[in-house]
Amino acid sequence: MIWNTLLIALREIRRNLLRAFLTILGIVIGVLAVVTMVTLGNGATQAVSAQVASLGSNLLMVMPGQRLGPGRDSAGAPSFKLADAEAIRAQIPGLAGVAPMASSQVTVVAGGQNWSTTIQGSSRDWFHAGAWKLASGRLFNEGEERAGAAVCVVGERVRKELFGKQDPVGSQIRVKQFVCDVVGLLQAKGQSGMGRDQDDVVVMPLRTVQRRLTGSQDVAGLMISVRDGVSTSKVQQQLEGLLRERRHIADLEQDNFNVMDTRQIAETLSGTTQVLTALLGAVAAVSLLVGGIGIMNIMLVSVTERTREIGIRLAIGALEQEVLLQFLIEAVVLSSLGGLIGILLATGLSMVLADLMQVPYAFDPGINLLAFGFSAAIGVIFGYFPARRAARLDPIEALRHE
Amino acid sequence: MSLLSLQSVTKTYGQGQAAFQALAGVDLAVEAGDFVAVMGPSGSGKSTVMNILGCLDTPSSGSYLFQDVHVENLDRNQRALLRRHYLGFVFQGFNLLARTSALENVELPLLYRGEPVAARHAAARAALEQVGLAGWETHNPAELSGGQQQRVAIARAIVTRPTVLLADEPTGNLDTRRSHEIMELLTRLNLELGITVLMVTHEPDMAAYARRVVHFVDGRVDSDQRNTPRETPA
Ligand SMILES: Nc1ncnc2c1ncn2[C@@H]1O[C@H](COP(=O)(O)OP(=O)(O)OP(=O)(O)O)[C@@H](O)[C@H]1O
Ligand SMILES: [Mg+2]
C-alpha cells in the first residue's frame, strides 16, 4: 500500500508541476531568508567576541573623557602623561603591565613602497597586554624605550605591503623625516570583527612617537593588564581613586576619564550584535510566514479540484487512509524539497555574504532545523488538513463539490 | 438469494421545507448474471438509485443487501473495499482525473487493488482497446472528446472485471454506431464473464440489449419487465 500510494503521490506532483513549484518556492523563500539572516547575525556576534578575545582577557582601558561611545565628551578632558603610567605601576598592586599609548596615522616607506598605517607608540607591556607574539626578531628593550630610539616592530600586513615575503628584520623604514630600524615582526592576528586589520600596525617606543610624530608629551590612553587571579573590579576602583587624585578632581565632580574592563566592552558589543541578530531573525520570520501564507493560498485554491480528485479516488475503491497518506506524502515531499533547496541556497548565500561583510561563516544547525521544521509543518498542515476533511465525505458528496 | 437487493429504500435530499424525496421507497432485487436497463424520465431518481447500489451514497432509510451483507451496517472502509473488489461504476459525468493520461486513469483501480505494474498496464491497454481507444493511451481528458472520455470511463469500470458493473448513461454522449459497439461489449462481458450489468439509459434501442427493463417514475419503480435481448451480431 505504501509503495502504490507513493507512486500515486509522485504522479500527482508531476501532473501539477506549477502547484508543486509554487509550494516549493514559498518554502524556499522563507527558509532562505531565516537561515541566511540568522547565520550572518551569528557570524557578526562571533567576529565581535573573537576580536575582544584577541585583546587579552584581564585588560583595563583608561581613556580621557567621560564614557565610551558616540558623543562622548572628551573635549575638555586633559590627556594623560607618562608620569601617570609610572604612578599606577608604582602604587597599584597586582598589575602585569601598564602600557601608555600614543598613536599617529602616517605613510611609511621602504624599498620604494608606500603604505599608510598606524604608528603605535607604547612600552613593551603593550605586546603582552595585547597577547602579541613575535614571528621573528625581538621587541625593543628598556634602553631604547628610555632613549626614544628609532626602532620598530612591524605587523604582518605592513610587512606584506612593504617587504612582500621577505623578513623585514634588519631593514629600515622611513617614517616622515626619520629612518627607523625594524627589529621585530609580529605574528599575524588577522582581521578584527569590525573590519579593521589588527596586523596593519608599526609599534615604536612611546618616546619616539611623542618626540618625532605627535610632538607632545601627551599619552592618549593607558592599557593596563591585570595579573591572573586578581580582581579587575578592585583594580578598577583603585585606579579611579588614584587618577582622581592625580587629576585633582573634587569630591562632587564627575570623572574626566573612564576606566573600562574589556570584558564589559565585549559584553556590550556582543549584546548589541545579539539584538541585531534577533531583529534580523524577526524580519526573516515574517518572510517565512509570508511564504507560509503563499503555500496556504495555493493549497486552498486547489481544494475544489482536489476534493473532486478525492471523490474519484474514493469511488474507485481507495481507502480514506490511502488518500490521506497520498496527500501527506505529497506535502512532505514538496515541503522537504523546498526546505532542502532553501537550506542549500542559504548556505551558499550566507557564505558569499559573510565573505563580503568580512564576518566568519557560522553554520547553525539549530536554525536550519527550525526553519526546515516550520516550513515542513506549514506544507503538511495546509496540504493535509483540507484533504482530511474531503476524505471523510461520502464519495458522491466529494464528487459534487463545487 | 439475490446478488443485490433494495428494500423500501428512500432518499431525501435537504431538510425541513427544502426537503426533497428523490427515492420514495424502492424495492428492487437483481440476480447474479442479469443485465438490467433502468429507464425513466429525467429526475425520476435513476442516478440516485445507482449511487446507492454503487455504495457511493447511503440511503435515508430502508436497507441494501449485497449478497447477504447489509451495506448500511458496513463502515466507510468496508464499503470502500466493496467498491474496490466487486463494483465497477461509470458516472454520468465521467469523473476522470484531470491532466492524467487515459492509461493512468484506467489503471487506477488496479493500482488500488495492488496489481503489479506489468499486469496493470496490460489490462489497462486491453480495456482501452475494448472500448475502441487503442492509440489514445497518452491523451489527457482535456484532449479527448466527450464520447472518448465516456469510453475511458467505461474502460476504467471494466478493467477490474467487477462482479457488478453499474453504468449511468454509458452511451449518453456517443453516436449510434459507438453506442451499439459499447452495448455489444457490455453484452459480451455479461455473457462471457458473468458480470452483472445495471445500466441507465434513455434510449429504447440500448435498453433492448438488456434482459430486464426497470422503469422509474417519481422515485418509485413503475414497471419491471422481462425482455428478450436483441441478437448480438456474432
Ligand atoms: N445532491 C442533491 N441535492 C438535492 N437534490 C438532489 C441531489 N441530487 C439529486 N437531487 C434531486 O433528486 C432527483 C433525482 O435525481 P437523479 O439524479 O437521481 O435523477 P435522474 O433520474 O438520474 O435524472 P437524469 O435522467 O436527468 O440523470 C432530482 O429531482 C434531483 O433534483
Ligand atoms: Mg442521472
Side-chain angles (χ1 to χ4, degrees):
Chain A
M1 159 171 155
I2 290 273
W3 288 114
N4 282 342
T5 311
L6 185 69
L7 175 66
I8 289 170
L10 293 181
R11 276 185 182 176
E12 206 52 45
I13 290 174
R14 190 196 61 200
R15 71 177 60 108
N16 291 289
L17 283 181
L18 183 64
R19 187 167 72 205
F21 172 75
L22 290 174
T23 307
I24 290 178
L25 189 69
I27 294 181
V28 166
I29 289 174
V31 171
L32 182 65
V34 171
V35 173
T36 308
M37 294 207 189
V38 173
T39 303
L40 287 178
N42 285 344
T45 310
Q46 272 190 16
V48 169
S49 347
Q51 182 203 10
V52 170
S54 74
L55 278 174
S57 56
N58 300 327
L59 275 186
L60 294 173
M61 297 286 289
V62 186
M63 297 293 199
Q66 283 179 342
R67 62 195 153 79
L68 180 76
R72 78 173 152 139
D73 172 27
S74 59
S79 49
F80 303 105
K81 301 289 179 212
L82 196 53
D84 292 316
E86 269 147 23
I88 291 168
R89 198 175 291 147
Q91 294 178 34
I92 296 179
L95 301 185
V98 178
M101 298 183 295
S103 64
S104 177
Q105 193 73 27
V106 294
T107 300
V108 294
V109 184
Q113 303 289 323
N114 285 331
W115 182 245
S116 169
T117 186
T118 307
I119 306 281
Q120 180 67 260
S122 194
S123 67
R124 279 163 302 157
D125 285 345
W126 186 86
F127 298 99
H128 176 74
W132 287 97
K133 290 196 178 61
L134 274 172
S136 73
R138 60 174 179 89
L139 303 180
F140 33 83
N141 59 38
E142 214 184 320
E144 286 163 339
E145 260 181 42
R146 219 176 303 124
V151 290
C152 61
V153 176
V154 299
E156 174 60 30
R157 179 70 189 273
V158 174
R159 193 273 291 254
K160 203 178 109 204
E161 298 296 338
L162 295 183
F163 300 97
K165 293 215 175 334
Q166 278 176 302
D167 187 348
V169 175
S171 322
Q172 291 188 319
I173 58 177
R174 195 160 57 75
V175 184
K176 286 200 172 165
Q177 291 85 357
F178 72 100
V179 169
C180 172
D181 290 322
V182 178
V183 297
L185 171 68
L186 294 172
Q187 273 184 14
K189 262 197 187 181
Q191 205 85 5
S192 76
M194 317 304 279
R196 194 175 63 87
D197 188 349
Q198 301 179 88
D199 298 320
D200 189 5
V201 71
V202 173
V203 193
M204 294 182 190
L206 177 72
R207 278 227 166 90
T208 318
V209 172
Q210 286 177 332
R211 256 186 231 153
R212 306 204 189 212
L213 293 172
T214 62
S216 79
Q217 296 290 307
D218 290 349
V219 168
L222 300 163
M223 187 155 60
I224 296 165
S225 58
V226 179
R227 276 207 207 103
D228 284 341
V230 175
S231 147
T232 45
S233 56
K234 200 167 153 221
V235 171
Q236 188 167 349
Q237 275 178 7
Q238 291 172 323
L239 257 176
E240 279 164 359
L242 178 63
L243 287 173
R244 282 180 74 89
E245 199 179 298
R246 288 186 64 82
R247 291 161 83 84
H248 310 295
I249 299 171
D251 279 352
L252 292 173
E253 265 182 87
Q254 281 203 315
D255 292 351
N256 60 3
F257 62 90
N258 65 82
V259 181
M260 269 171 313
D261 190 336
T262 48
R263 195 166 293 137
Q264 263 178 325
I265 307 177
E267 275 157 15
T268 314
L269 282 179
S270 46
T272 318
T273 47
Q274 268 159 20
V275 168
L276 203 76
T277 306
L279 220 82
L280 285 178
V283 171
V286 171
S287 49
L288 193 59
L289 204 70
V290 170
I293 291 171
I295 296 168
M296 187 172 87
N297 255 319
I298 297 158
M299 296 297 187
L300 290 182
V301 164
S302 60
V303 151
T304 303
E305 187 192 315
R306 303 228 73 181
T307 302
R308 275 181 50 82
E309 178 198 331
I310 289 170
I312 293 171
R313 293 184 184 279
L314 291 174
I316 281 170
L319 299 177
E320 186 180 327
Q321 61 259 36
E322 285 172 323
V323 173
L324 289 181
L325 185 65
Q326 173 204 332
F327 274 70
L328 195 63
I329 293 174
E330 281 182 45
V332 168
V333 166
L334 291 183
S335 347
S336 24
L337 200 64
L340 281 181
I341 295 175
I343 284 176
L344 283 181
L345 289 182
T347 306
L349 188 66
S350 1
M351 280 177 167
V352 169
L353 287 180
D355 197 46
L356 285 178
M357 293 165 58
Q358 304 191 324
V359 300
Y361 166 72
F363 179 78
D364 178 352
I367 192 65
N368 279 284
L369 274 178
L370 191 76
F372 186 89
F374 182 75
S375 55
I378 288 176
V380 169
I381 288 169
F382 292 112
Y384 179 76
F385 284 94
R388 199 177 69 163
R389 215 178 32 207
R392 287 193 174 156
L393 298 172
D394 263 334
I396 206 74
E397 284 174 64
L399 284 171
R400 251 188 227 126
H401 189 86
E402 291 298 316
Chain B
M1 182 195 64
S2 311
L3 176 61
L4 309 173
S5 86
L6 297 178
Q7 292 162 2
S8 351
V9 163
T10 69
K11 179 73 186 179
T12 308
Y13 289 111
Q15 277 172 355
Q17 287 280 299
F20 179 83
Q21 200 169 40
L23 293 182
V26 173
D27 291 284
L28 181 71
V30 177
E31 303 307 317
D34 212 347
F35 189 151
V36 183
V38 177
M39 299 187 74
S42 181
S44 57
K46 307 182 295 294
S47 294
T48 306
V49 87
M50 293 293 273
N51 291 339
I52 289 173
L53 288 171
C55 296
L56 301 170
D57 206 355
T58 40
S60 304
S61 72
S63 58
Y64 170 26
L65 279 90
F66 187 94
Q67 293 177 331
D68 52 357
V69 177
H70 275 271
V71 175
E72 66 271 16
N73 295 339
L74 300 181
D75 65 22
R76 292 172 51 76
N77 278 344
Q78 289 169 321
R79 274 182 284 143
L81 291 174
L82 194 67
R83 292 194 290 271
R84 176 186 296 186
H85 292 290
Y86 298 95
L87 302 175
F89 205 97
V90 183
F91 292 93
Q92 194 169 3
F94 322 143
N95 282 325
L96 300 176
L97 285 182
R99 292 189 290 278
T100 302
S101 71
L103 190 74
E104 283 182 9
N105 259 299
V106 173
E107 70 168 358
L108 200 59
L110 299 173
L111 203 54
Y112 283 116
R113 283 188 176 198
E115 302 268 341
V117 186
R120 227 159 57 207
H121 281 237
R125 277 175 201 286
L128 280 172
E129 201 180 316
Q130 281 183 313
V131 296
L133 282 178
W136 294 86
E137 287 86 354
T138 58
H139 289 69
N140 290 342
E143 300 160 353
L144 296 171
S145 72
Q148 287 169 327
Q149 290 180 51
Q150 185 150 42
R151 283 182 282 151
V152 174
I154 295 168
R156 183 178 65 185
I158 63 172
V159 73
T160 55
R161 303 287 178 248
T163 307
V164 183
L165 177 66
L166 298 155
D168 199 350
E169 302 195 30
T171 59
N173 286 273
L174 301 181
D175 59 80
T176 321
R177 195 173 66 85
R178 283 283 178 211
S179 299
H180 284 287
E181 278 174 24
I182 292 297
M183 292 320 298
E184 280 153 23
L185 172 65
L186 296 188
T187 305
R188 253 196 337 272
L189 291 171
N190 173 251
L191 291 177
E192 289 166 16
L193 300 173
I195 296 177
T196 308
V197 179
L198 267 93
M199 171 191 75
V200 174
T201 182
H202 286 285
E203 296 162 78
D205 265 4
M206 302 302 133
Y209 284 89
R211 264 176 271 127
R212 179 180 170 192
V213 180
V214 178
H215 266 272
F216 274 74
V217 175
D218 294 338
R220 280 175 217 278
V221 178
D222 182 58
S223 71
D224 188 346
Q225 301 156 332
R226 284 276 138 200
N227 188 29
T228 316
R230 63 186 272 171
E231 286 302 312
T232 37

